[in-house]
């Protein structure tokens, strides 16, 4: 018998369930009809036809009783809502940025920042692209340049900080284009397209020092900063005794501002903001928010939404919360990995990323292995996932050709505080089932392609 000292002790979610939402179970025949109707694109499925929805962790988390109570305190004034001031206070306290421009979600903050900071011909270096972020940079006349370390593009590399910037790459970009043509360096925490991989504090410090030398700003995509902070606490030498809040603050203190989709870390269904330290940039952003979003004290959110974000920001840096959140994702990842299924390692913070290229080695990228795998998983069990490969990467605006990303992934994204460990078991077993029958899987061809962000609405048919 294990002694008390060596006995394994489990952890559990630091909350209990107060309200439930029923899930619809479907038959294989029903799923077959639904995915065909959806053009083999999981974005086009009706949520009603989905059993366990791992499409995204964005806006899908469960709010706490405190957040719901905050919703009842909404001050729905057009101007100067008290909830705006609560949110401003929370952003100042938790992130430390001076000025706040609320927006309805993350991409609107990216839009405003890109329009005010980027001139045609500029380049924006960053630690891997994100779809909406890069598109807004391009729409403003800029070009994204990837400066993440090579390990980030290798699904099998066990590097603990695959979100780190390759400083030599960044230096080369600065030398080639000149600091005058670099409005800012874009640093994401818990890098989404790399599989939810963190950047280290040490690397961010070095990025800051290099940018200071050249007078270049560092702007932070803070969407999942608390999750990144958890990995720093776990993995970075000297950080084990820091609180999540202190690490989040240390990250933000090394940057000049952030774009934020509050739909992730901040545990709300809608919301976002741009936060800036620079007075002039803030002034420009505040002028622009009234054109596209709404007055600068609500920017596309209701007062109640801003209150829920303010409370959610505080909850996001709670250690027990973030440990359970990242722990649930790790549980799912380990379970899938044990079945021998190829996944991105280390397991990321917001989801498990299946390596579709290794899963379906007989399929060429031209027939969209990740898109195909996402459709097959839905067919097997009603689990909805998201393609993060060739379809998401889109076309190169200069050549018009499909980009062929090194990572051809399917993302199983876990909403916060929504599903139980038993749901994770069901998901892992379904992935294993599809893996067992992988040889029989054929690819897809695209029959409808939208001009921008094609993954959202593209339609496919099975190849013969
Ligand atoms: C996802 C969502 C949104 C997001 C993000 C990072 C690191 C900005 C945003 C934009 C939703 C999504 C968006 C595009 C394609 C697929 C899914 N990510 N930065 O599921 O924020 O959605 O609020 O405008 O992850 O990963 P928002």
């Amino acid at each position: 018998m294990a002694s008390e000292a060596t006995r394994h002790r489990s952890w559990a979610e630091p909350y209990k369930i107060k309200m439930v939402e029923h899930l619809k179970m479907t038959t294989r025949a029903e799923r077959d009809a639904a995915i065909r109707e959806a053009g083999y694109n999981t974005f086009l499925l009706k949520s009603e036809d989905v059993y366990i929805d791992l499409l995204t962790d964005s806006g899908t988390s469960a709010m706490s009783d405190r957040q719901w109570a905050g919703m009842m305190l909404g001050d729905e004034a057009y101007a100067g809502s008290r909830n705006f001031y609560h949110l401003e206070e929370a952003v100042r306290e938790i992130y430390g940025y001076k000025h706040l421009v609320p927006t309805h979600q993350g991409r609107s903050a990216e839009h405003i920042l890109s329009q005010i900071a980027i001139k045609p011909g500029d380049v924006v270096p960053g630690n891997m692209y994100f779809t909406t972020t890069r598109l807004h940079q391009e729409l403003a006349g800029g070009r994204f340049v990837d400066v993440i370390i090579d390990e980030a593009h290798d699904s099998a590399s066990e590097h603990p900080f695959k979100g780190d910037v390759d400083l030599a790459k960044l230096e080369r970009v600065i030398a080639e284009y000149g600091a005058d043509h670099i409005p800012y360096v874009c640093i994401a925490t818990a890098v989404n397209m790399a599989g939810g991989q963190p950047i280290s504090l040490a690397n961010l410090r070095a990025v800051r020092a290099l940018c200071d030398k050249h007078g270049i700003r560092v702007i932070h995509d803070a969407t999942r900063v608390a999750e990144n902070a958890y990995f720093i606490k776990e993995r970075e030498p000297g950080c084990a005794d820091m609180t999540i809040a202190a690490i989040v603050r240390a990250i933000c203190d090394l940057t000049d501002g952030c774009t934020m989709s509050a739909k992730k870390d901040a545990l709300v269904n809608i919301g976002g903001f741009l936060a800036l330290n620079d007075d002039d940039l803030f002034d420009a952003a505040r002028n622009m928010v009234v054109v596209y979003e709404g007055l600068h004290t609500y920017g596309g959110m209701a007062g109640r939404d801003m209150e829920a974000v303010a409370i959610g920001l505080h909850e996001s840096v709670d250690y027990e919360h973030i440990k359970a959140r990242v722990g649930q994702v790790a549980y799912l990842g380990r379970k899938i990995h044990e079945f021998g299924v190829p996944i991105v390692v280390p397991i990321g913070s917001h989801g498990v990323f299946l390596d579709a290229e290794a899963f379906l080695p007989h399929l060429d990228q031209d027939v969209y292995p990740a898109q195909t795998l996402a459709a097959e998983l839905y067919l097997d069990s009603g689990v909805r996932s998201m393609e993060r490969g060739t379809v998401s990467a889109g076309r190169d605006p200069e050549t018009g050709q499909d980009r062929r990303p090194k990572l051809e992934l399917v993302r199983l994204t876990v909403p916060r505080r929504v599903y139980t460990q038993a749901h994770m078991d069901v998901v892992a077993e379904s992935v294993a089932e599809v893996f067992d029958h992988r040889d029989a899987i054929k690819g897809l061809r695209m029959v409808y392609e939208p001009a921008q962000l094609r993954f959202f609405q593209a339609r496919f048919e099975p190849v013969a």
Side-chain angles (χ1 to χ4, degrees):
M1 251 178 72
S3 74
E4 213 166 300
T6 59
R7 191 187 297 139
H8 171 75
R9 302 296 300 262
S10 295
W11 56 268
E13 292 79 0
Y15 51 83
K16 56 185 177 178
I17 296 165
K18 189 174 325 216
M19 191 191 277
V20 297
E21 178 181 343
H22 286 283
L23 297 173
K24 188 175 110 183
M25 312 297 278
T26 51
T27 63
R28 173 109 191 174
E30 285 167 340
R31 293 194 292 277
D32 195 66
I35 195 74
R36 195 169 329 148
E37 174 92 354
Y40 296 85
N41 185 345
T42 54
F43 277 108
L44 301 179
L45 285 167
K46 289 183 183 144
S47 132
E48 243 194 8
D49 295 330
V50 172
Y51 171 33
I52 299 173
D53 200 349
L54 306 187
L55 180 72
T56 178
D57 63 332
S58 180
T60 55
S61 296
M63 290 208 295
S64 66
D65 49 358
R66 285 169 199 210
Q67 284 177 294
W68 279 110
M71 295 285 275
M72 298 305 289
L73 302 175
D75 169 6
E76 307 305 342
Y78 190 88
S81 158
R82 102 168 77 82
N83 313 113
F84 167 79
Y85 297 103
H86 291 169
L87 179 57
E88 189 181 52
E89 208 177 288
V91 170
R92 284 185 180 149
E93 182 186 331
I94 297 167
Y95 292 178
Y97 299 121
K98 190 167 158 198
H99 302 296
L100 172 72
V101 180
T103 60
H104 79 278
Q105 61 183 85
R107 69 198 69 181
S108 5
E110 294 167 351
H111 170 221
I112 292 170
L113 174 72
S114 299
Q115 291 296 325
I116 61 177
I118 300 173
K119 303 182 301 301
D122 280 355
V123 296
V124 185
N127 55 346
M128 201 171 272
Y129 84 100
F130 186 70
T131 51
T132 57
T133 321
R134 181 176 66 191
L135 178 62
H136 281 299
Q137 292 163 357
E138 289 171 355
L139 290 173
R143 193 160 63 80
F144 171 82
V145 187
D146 189 19
V147 295
I148 204 165
I149 56 172
D150 288 342
E151 286 88 340
H153 293 280
D154 174 4
S155 64
S157 162
E158 300 261 10
H159 193 292
F161 291 104
K162 281 166 109 173
D164 277 359
V165 169
D166 182 328
L167 293 155
K169 282 188 196 170
L170 180 55
E171 265 179 290
R172 277 200 298 278
V173 176
I174 298 171
E176 188 176 343
Y177 298 96
D180 289 351
H181 295 288
I182 302 177
Y184 55 90
V185 172
C186 185
I187 295 296
T189 33
V191 181
N192 194 348
M193 299 303 278
Q197 304 294 329
I199 180 171
S200 62
L201 264 180
N203 182 257
L204 185 56
R205 261 186 226 112
V207 169
R208 174 84 258 176
L210 182 60
C211 287
D212 279 348
K213 203 168 101 190
H214 296 277
I216 300 170
R217 287 192 186 94
V218 180
I219 300 289
H220 170 204
D221 182 337
T223 297
R224 297 182 182 85
V225 60
E227 294 177 2
N228 194 120
Y230 179 76
F231 285 132
I232 289 177
K233 184 175 170 69
E234 291 284 292
R235 299 178 189 165
E236 189 159 353
C239 299
D241 294 333
M242 290 173 79
T243 62
I244 298 297
I247 299 172
V248 164
R249 189 55 193 265
I251 294 170
C252 294
D253 283 350
L254 288 164
T255 64
D256 300 296
C258 78
T259 55
M260 176 72 178
S261 170
K263 300 169 72 174
K264 286 83 164 172
D265 258 9
L267 297 153
V268 294
N269 304 119
I270 193 72
F273 53 84
L274 176 63
L276 295 163
N277 287 336
D278 184 284
D279 297 340
D280 294 336
L281 256 193
F282 167 62
D283 205 46
R286 208 160 56 146
N287 284 330
M288 186 151 273
V289 76
V290 297
V291 180
Y292 291 102
E293 294 284 293
L295 194 74
H296 57 274
T297 54
Y298 73 87
M301 281 185 281
R304 55 181 174 269
D305 298 333
M306 292 189 283
E307 192 65 28
V309 178
I311 297 167
L313 281 175
H314 284 282
E315 293 183 1
S316 78
V317 295
D318 176 73
Y319 176 70
E320 295 301 332
H321 156 70
I322 204 77
K323 178 179 157 201
R325 189 280 184 282
V326 179
Q328 188 179 43
V329 173
Y331 176 85
L332 174 64
R334 276 198 298 272
K335 191 120 195 169
I336 292 174
H337 203 48
E338 279 163 16
F339 286 119
V341 177
I343 60 169
V344 175
V345 288
I347 296 161
S349 64
H350 64 308
V352 177
F353 290 68
L354 308 178
D355 182 345
E357 207 167 359
F359 196 113
L360 300 170
H362 57 290
L363 297 191
D364 189 87
Q365 267 185 311
D366 286 344
V367 293
Y368 310 114
Q371 188 77 29
T372 305
L373 179 52
E376 289 291 333
L377 190 60
Y378 173 74
L379 271 171
D380 181 71
S381 59
V383 169
R384 171 154 70 172
S385 58
M386 187 192 290
E387 193 268 2
R388 298 277 77 177
T390 310
V391 182
S392 294
R395 291 175 187 270
D396 186 306
E398 274 156 34
T399 67
Q401 295 298 307
D402 262 8
R403 293 169 167 126
R404 291 173 71 97
K406 288 210 184 90
L407 296 178
E408 181 73 29
L409 309 176
V410 169
R411 188 182 74 174
L412 297 162
T413 341
V414 185
R416 298 163 190 79
R417 312 192 288 206
V418 171
Y419 292 113
T420 65
Q421 198 152 300
H423 288 114
M424 299 299 111
D425 291 341
V426 167
V427 172
E429 287 159 19
S430 173
V431 172
E433 180 74 24
V434 176
F435 191 57
D436 286 346
H437 300 105
R438 63 192 179 279
D439 292 344
I441 297 174
K442 300 196 176 81
L444 294 169
R445 64 191 174 89
M446 205 185 297
V447 293
Y448 168 67
E449 179 175 359
Q452 314 284 7
L453 303 175
R454 65 184 186 178
F455 50 89
F456 282 133
Q457 288 143 351
R459 301 185 68 84
F460 302 82
E461 279 174 6
V463 293

PDB file of all heavy atoms in Angstrom, residues 24-47:
ATOM      1  N   LYS A  24     -27.747  17.700 -26.805  1.00  0.00           N
ATOM      2  CA  LYS A  24     -28.512  16.807 -27.682  1.00  0.00           C
ATOM      3  C   LYS A  24     -27.596  15.694 -28.179  1.00  0.00           C
ATOM      4  O   LYS A  24     -26.482  15.957 -28.627  1.00  0.00           O
ATOM      5  CB  LYS A  24     -29.065  17.615 -28.862  1.00  0.00           C
ATOM      6  CG  LYS A  24     -30.041  16.835 -29.726  1.00  0.00           C
ATOM      7  CD  LYS A  24     -30.659  17.714 -30.812  1.00  0.00           C
ATOM      8  CE  LYS A  24     -30.148  17.318 -32.173  1.00  0.00           C
ATOM      9  NZ  LYS A  24     -30.657  18.173 -33.246  1.00  0.00           N
ATOM     10  N   MET A  25     -28.041  14.458 -28.098  1.00  0.00           N
ATOM     11  CA  MET A  25     -27.284  13.345 -28.664  1.00  0.00           C
ATOM     12  C   MET A  25     -27.800  13.106 -30.080  1.00  0.00           C
ATOM     13  O   MET A  25     -28.996  13.209 -30.325  1.00  0.00           O
ATOM     14  CB  MET A  25     -27.483  12.074 -27.826  1.00  0.00           C
ATOM     15  CG  MET A  25     -27.310  12.264 -26.327  1.00  0.00           C
ATOM     16  SD  MET A  25     -25.657  12.758 -25.861  1.00  0.00           S
ATOM     17  CE  MET A  25     -24.852  11.165 -25.851  1.00  0.00           C
ATOM     18  N   THR A  26     -26.896  12.794 -30.988  1.00  0.00           N
ATOM     19  CA  THR A  26     -27.310  12.582 -32.380  1.00  0.00           C
ATOM     20  C   THR A  26     -26.869  11.194 -32.842  1.00  0.00           C
ATOM     21  O   THR A  26     -25.982  10.584 -32.251  1.00  0.00           O
ATOM     22  CB  THR A  26     -26.649  13.626 -33.299  1.00  0.00           C
ATOM     23  OG1 THR A  26     -25.242  13.633 -33.036  1.00  0.00           O
ATOM     24  CG2 THR A  26     -27.213  15.008 -33.088  1.00  0.00           C
ATOM     25  N   THR A  27     -27.465  10.735 -33.916  1.00  0.00           N
ATOM     26  CA  THR A  27     -27.051   9.461 -34.508  1.00  0.00           C
ATOM     27  C   THR A  27     -26.030   9.742 -35.599  1.00  0.00           C
ATOM     28  O   THR A  27     -25.905  10.869 -36.084  1.00  0.00           O
ATOM     29  CB  THR A  27     -28.238   8.730 -35.158  1.00  0.00           C
ATOM     30  OG1 THR A  27     -28.720   9.560 -36.243  1.00  0.00           O
ATOM     31  CG2 THR A  27     -29.364   8.499 -34.163  1.00  0.00           C
ATOM     32  N   ARG A  28     -25.312   8.709 -36.001  1.00  0.00           N
ATOM     33  CA  ARG A  28     -24.329   8.849 -37.085  1.00  0.00           C
ATOM     34  C   ARG A  28     -25.009   9.380 -38.354  1.00  0.00           C
ATOM     35  O   ARG A  28     -24.469  10.236 -39.040  1.00  0.00           O
ATOM     36  CB  ARG A  28     -23.671   7.482 -37.339  1.00  0.00           C
ATOM     37  CG  ARG A  28     -22.772   7.450 -38.544  1.00  0.00           C
ATOM     38  CD  ARG A  28     -21.328   7.354 -38.146  1.00  0.00           C
ATOM     39  NE  ARG A  28     -20.464   7.586 -39.302  1.00  0.00           N
ATOM     40  CZ  ARG A  28     -19.155   7.677 -39.244  1.00  0.00           C
ATOM     41  NH1 ARG A  28     -18.549   7.600 -38.097  1.00  0.00           N
ATOM     42  NH2 ARG A  28     -18.446   7.884 -40.305  1.00  0.00           N
ATOM     43  N   ALA A  29     -26.211   8.869 -38.649  1.00  0.00           N
ATOM     44  CA  ALA A  29     -26.929   9.305 -39.863  1.00  0.00           C
ATOM     45  C   ALA A  29     -27.249  10.801 -39.775  1.00  0.00           C
ATOM     46  O   ALA A  29     -27.112  11.535 -40.757  1.00  0.00           O
ATOM     47  CB  ALA A  29     -28.198   8.485 -40.033  1.00  0.00           C
ATOM     48  N   GLU A  30     -27.647  11.257 -38.593  1.00  0.00           N
ATOM     49  CA  GLU A  30     -27.950  12.689 -38.424  1.00  0.00           C
ATOM     50  C   GLU A  30     -26.685  13.536 -38.594  1.00  0.00           C
ATOM     51  O   GLU A  30     -26.707  14.603 -39.202  1.00  0.00           O
ATOM     52  CB  GLU A  30     -28.561  12.943 -37.040  1.00  0.00           C
ATOM     53  CG  GLU A  30     -30.006  12.483 -36.938  1.00  0.00           C
ATOM     54  CD  GLU A  30     -30.535  12.429 -35.496  1.00  0.00           C
ATOM     55  OE1 GLU A  30     -29.715  12.372 -34.539  1.00  0.00           O
ATOM     56  OE2 GLU A  30     -31.764  12.425 -35.342  1.00  0.00           O
ATOM     57  N   ARG A  31     -25.579  13.028 -38.053  1.00  0.00           N
ATOM     58  CA  ARG A  31     -24.322  13.785 -38.172  1.00  0.00           C
ATOM     59  C   ARG A  31     -23.834  13.812 -39.614  1.00  0.00           C
ATOM     60  O   ARG A  31     -23.296  14.805 -40.087  1.00  0.00           O
ATOM     61  CB  ARG A  31     -23.255  13.182 -37.246  1.00  0.00           C
ATOM     62  CG  ARG A  31     -23.579  13.355 -35.776  1.00  0.00           C
ATOM     63  CD  ARG A  31     -22.394  13.059 -34.895  1.00  0.00           C
ATOM     64  NE  ARG A  31     -21.988  11.670 -34.881  1.00  0.00           N
ATOM     65  CZ  ARG A  31     -22.532  10.718 -34.130  1.00  0.00           C
ATOM     66  NH1 ARG A  31     -23.532  11.008 -33.323  1.00  0.00           N
ATOM     67  NH2 ARG A  31     -22.076   9.477 -34.175  1.00  0.00           N
ATOM     68  N   ASP A  32     -24.047  12.713 -40.293  1.00  0.00           N
ATOM     69  CA  ASP A  32     -23.659  12.638 -41.696  1.00  0.00           C
ATOM     70  C   ASP A  32     -24.397  13.714 -42.504  1.00  0.00           C
ATOM     71  O   ASP A  32     -23.795  14.444 -43.305  1.00  0.00           O
ATOM     72  CB  ASP A  32     -23.984  11.233 -42.220  1.00  0.00           C
ATOM     73  CG  ASP A  32     -23.297  10.957 -43.527  1.00  0.00           C
ATOM     74  OD1 ASP A  32     -22.054  10.897 -43.512  1.00  0.00           O
ATOM     75  OD2 ASP A  32     -23.984  10.857 -44.558  1.00  0.00           O
ATOM     76  N   ALA A  33     -25.683  13.835 -42.257  1.00  0.00           N
ATOM     77  CA  ALA A  33     -26.486  14.854 -42.968  1.00  0.00           C
ATOM     78  C   ALA A  33     -26.031  16.257 -42.559  1.00  0.00           C
ATOM     79  O   ALA A  33     -25.899  17.153 -43.402  1.00  0.00           O
ATOM     80  CB  ALA A  33     -27.965  14.652 -42.652  1.00  0.00           C
ATOM     81  N   ALA A  34     -25.759  16.437 -41.265  1.00  0.00           N
ATOM     82  CA  ALA A  34     -25.405  17.776 -40.761  1.00  0.00           C
ATOM     83  C   ALA A  34     -24.065  18.253 -41.334  1.00  0.00           C
ATOM     84  O   ALA A  34     -23.937  19.412 -41.737  1.00  0.00           O
ATOM     85  CB  ALA A  34     -25.350  17.753 -39.234  1.00  0.00           C
ATOM     86  N   ILE A  35     -23.072  17.377 -41.388  1.00  0.00           N
ATOM     87  CA  ILE A  35     -21.748  17.832 -41.843  1.00  0.00           C
ATOM     88  C   ILE A  35     -21.766  18.067 -43.354  1.00  0.00           C
ATOM     89  O   ILE A  35     -21.104  18.975 -43.859  1.00  0.00           O
ATOM     90  CB  ILE A  35     -20.607  16.860 -41.395  1.00  0.00           C
ATOM     91  CG1 ILE A  35     -19.222  17.508 -41.543  1.00  0.00           C
ATOM     92  CG2 ILE A  35     -20.621  15.546 -42.149  1.00  0.00           C
ATOM     93  CD1 ILE A  35     -18.878  18.551 -40.535  1.00  0.00           C
ATOM     94  N   ARG A  36     -22.583  17.264 -44.068  1.00  0.00           N
ATOM     95  CA  ARG A  36     -22.703  17.500 -45.515  1.00  0.00           C
ATOM     96  C   ARG A  36     -23.344  18.873 -45.753  1.00  0.00           C
ATOM     97  O   ARG A  36     -22.882  19.664 -46.544  1.00  0.00           O
ATOM     98  CB  ARG A  36     -23.519  16.382 -46.150  1.00  0.00           C
ATOM     99  CG  ARG A  36     -23.366  16.369 -47.658  1.00  0.00           C
ATOM    100  CD  ARG A  36     -23.938  15.141 -48.318  1.00  0.00           C
ATOM    101  NE  ARG A  36     -23.877  13.950 -47.477  1.00  0.00           N
ATOM    102  CZ  ARG A  36     -24.787  12.967 -47.518  1.00  0.00           C
ATOM    103  NH1 ARG A  36     -25.810  13.061 -48.330  1.00  0.00           N
ATOM    104  NH2 ARG A  36     -24.659  11.911 -46.739  1.00  0.00           N
ATOM    105  N   GLU A  37     -24.414  19.113 -45.034  1.00  0.00           N
ATOM    106  CA  GLU A  37     -25.129  20.394 -45.106  1.00  0.00           C
ATOM    107  C   GLU A  37     -24.178  21.559 -44.803  1.00  0.00           C
ATOM    108  O   GLU A  37     -24.287  22.642 -45.360  1.00  0.00           O
ATOM    109  CB  GLU A  37     -26.269  20.342 -44.077  1.00  0.00           C
ATOM    110  CG  GLU A  37     -27.037  21.596 -43.881  1.00  0.00           C
ATOM    111  CD  GLU A  37     -28.273  21.652 -44.793  1.00  0.00           C
ATOM    112  OE1 GLU A  37     -28.461  20.763 -45.644  1.00  0.00           O
ATOM    113  OE2 GLU A  37     -29.013  22.608 -44.645  1.00  0.00           O
ATOM    114  N   ALA A  38     -23.230  21.328 -43.890  1.00  0.00           N
ATOM    115  CA  ALA A  38     -22.280  22.364 -43.450  1.00  0.00           C
ATOM    116  C   ALA A  38     -21.067  22.453 -44.381  1.00  0.00           C
ATOM    117  O   ALA A  38     -20.098  23.153 -44.059  1.00  0.00           O
ATOM    118  CB  ALA A  38     -21.820  22.069 -42.028  1.00  0.00           C
ATOM    119  N   GLY A  39     -21.111  21.769 -45.516  1.00  0.00           N
ATOM    120  CA  GLY A  39     -19.976  21.826 -46.445  1.00  0.00           C
ATOM    121  C   GLY A  39     -18.684  21.338 -45.797  1.00  0.00           C
ATOM    122  O   GLY A  39     -17.609  21.839 -46.088  1.00  0.00           O
ATOM    123  N   TYR A  40     -18.787  20.373 -44.904  1.00  0.00           N
ATOM    124  CA  TYR A  40     -17.634  19.765 -44.228  1.00  0.00           C
ATOM    125  C   TYR A  40     -16.783  20.807 -43.498  1.00  0.00           C
ATOM    126  O   TYR A  40     -15.581  20.645 -43.351  1.00  0.00           O
ATOM    127  CB  TYR A  40     -16.797  18.916 -45.204  1.00  0.00           C
ATOM    128  CG  TYR A  40     -17.599  17.744 -45.708  1.00  0.00           C
ATOM    129  CD1 TYR A  40     -18.459  17.878 -46.798  1.00  0.00           C
ATOM    130  CD2 TYR A  40     -17.553  16.529 -45.046  1.00  0.00           C
ATOM    131  CE1 TYR A  40     -19.257  16.816 -47.216  1.00  0.00           C
ATOM    132  CE2 TYR A  40     -18.331  15.461 -45.456  1.00  0.00           C
ATOM    133  CZ  TYR A  40     -19.180  15.612 -46.536  1.00  0.00           C
ATOM    134  OH  TYR A  40     -19.976  14.570 -46.933  1.00  0.00           O
ATOM    135  N   ASN A  41     -17.450  21.872 -43.075  1.00  0.00           N
ATOM    136  CA  ASN A  41     -16.773  22.927 -42.326  1.00  0.00           C
ATOM    137  C   ASN A  41     -17.434  23.026 -40.955  1.00  0.00           C
ATOM    138  O   ASN A  41     -18.618  23.363 -40.860  1.00  0.00           O
ATOM    139  CB  ASN A  41     -16.887  24.261 -43.085  1.00  0.00           C
ATOM    140  CG  ASN A  41     -16.102  25.366 -42.409  1.00  0.00           C
ATOM    141  OD1 ASN A  41     -15.695  25.236 -41.253  1.00  0.00           O
ATOM    142  ND2 ASN A  41     -15.894  26.461 -43.117  1.00  0.00           N
ATOM    143  N   THR A  42     -16.690  22.745 -39.895  1.00  0.00           N
ATOM    144  CA  THR A  42     -17.297  22.725 -38.553  1.00  0.00           C
ATOM    145  C   THR A  42     -17.826  24.095 -38.124  1.00  0.00           C
ATOM    146  O   THR A  42     -18.682  24.186 -37.257  1.00  0.00           O
ATOM    147  CB  THR A  42     -16.296  22.196 -37.497  1.00  0.00           C
ATOM    148  OG1 THR A  42     -15.097  22.968 -37.574  1.00  0.00           O
ATOM    149  CG2 THR A  42     -15.965  20.725 -37.726  1.00  0.00           C
ATOM    150  N   PHE A  43     -17.305  25.177 -38.743  1.00  0.00           N
ATOM    151  CA  PHE A  43     -17.835  26.520 -38.434  1.00  0.00           C
ATOM    152  C   PHE A  43     -19.285  26.660 -38.920  1.00  0.00           C
ATOM    153  O   PHE A  43     -19.998  27.545 -38.475  1.00  0.00           O
ATOM    154  CB  PHE A  43     -17.010  27.605 -39.135  1.00  0.00           C
ATOM    155  CG  PHE A  43     -15.760  27.999 -38.414  1.00  0.00           C
ATOM    156  CD1 PHE A  43     -14.522  27.621 -38.895  1.00  0.00           C
ATOM    157  CD2 PHE A  43     -15.817  28.773 -37.277  1.00  0.00           C
ATOM    158  CE1 PHE A  43     -13.361  27.998 -38.255  1.00  0.00           C
ATOM    159  CE2 PHE A  43     -14.660  29.158 -36.621  1.00  0.00           C
ATOM    160  CZ  PHE A  43     -13.433  28.767 -37.108  1.00  0.00           C
ATOM    161  N   LEU A  44     -19.696  25.827 -39.877  1.00  0.00           N
ATOM    162  CA  LEU A  44     -21.024  25.973 -40.461  1.00  0.00           C
ATOM    163  C   LEU A  44     -22.048  24.997 -39.887  1.00  0.00           C
ATOM    164  O   LEU A  44     -23.191  24.945 -40.332  1.00  0.00           O
ATOM    165  CB  LEU A  44     -20.936  25.831 -42.000  1.00  0.00           C
ATOM    166  CG  LEU A  44     -20.013  26.859 -42.687  1.00  0.00           C
ATOM    167  CD1 LEU A  44     -19.959  26.623 -44.197  1.00  0.00           C
ATOM    168  CD2 LEU A  44     -20.472  28.291 -42.410  1.00  0.00           C
ATOM    169  N   LEU A  45     -21.635  24.228 -38.888  1.00  0.00           N
ATOM    170  CA  LEU A  45     -22.586  23.347 -38.202  1.00  0.00           C
ATOM    171  C   LEU A  45     -23.485  24.172 -37.288  1.00  0.00           C
ATOM    172  O   LEU A  45     -23.051  25.187 -36.723  1.00  0.00           O
ATOM    173  CB  LEU A  45     -21.832  22.338 -37.333  1.00  0.00           C
ATOM    174  CG  LEU A  45     -21.128  21.177 -38.022  1.00  0.00           C
ATOM    175  CD1 LEU A  45     -20.184  20.502 -37.030  1.00  0.00           C
ATOM    176  CD2 LEU A  45     -22.130  20.178 -38.587  1.00  0.00           C
ATOM    177  N   LYS A  46     -24.707  23.686 -37.102  1.00  0.00           N
ATOM    178  CA  LYS A  46     -25.555  24.305 -36.075  1.00  0.00           C
ATOM    179  C   LYS A  46     -25.093  23.767 -34.730  1.00  0.00           C
ATOM    180  O   LYS A  46     -24.884  22.554 -34.586  1.00  0.00           O
ATOM    181  CB  LYS A  46     -27.007  23.895 -36.288  1.00  0.00           C
ATOM    182  CG  LYS A  46     -27.623  24.526 -37.505  1.00  0.00           C
ATOM    183  CD  LYS A  46     -29.087  24.140 -37.611  1.00  0.00           C
ATOM    184  CE  LYS A  46     -29.674  24.728 -38.875  1.00  0.00           C
ATOM    185  NZ  LYS A  46     -30.653  23.828 -39.488  1.00  0.00           N
ATOM    186  N   SER A  47     -24.974  24.650 -33.753  1.00  0.00           N
ATOM    187  CA  SER A  47     -24.474  24.228 -32.446  1.00  0.00           C
ATOM    188  C   SER A  47     -25.385  23.157 -31.839  1.00  0.00           C
ATOM    189  O   SER A  47     -24.928  22.266 -31.121  1.00  0.00           O
ATOM    190  CB  SER A  47     -24.322  25.456 -31.566  1.00  0.00           C
ATOM    191  OG  SER A  47     -24.873  25.278 -30.317  1.00  0.00           O
TER     192      SER A  47
END
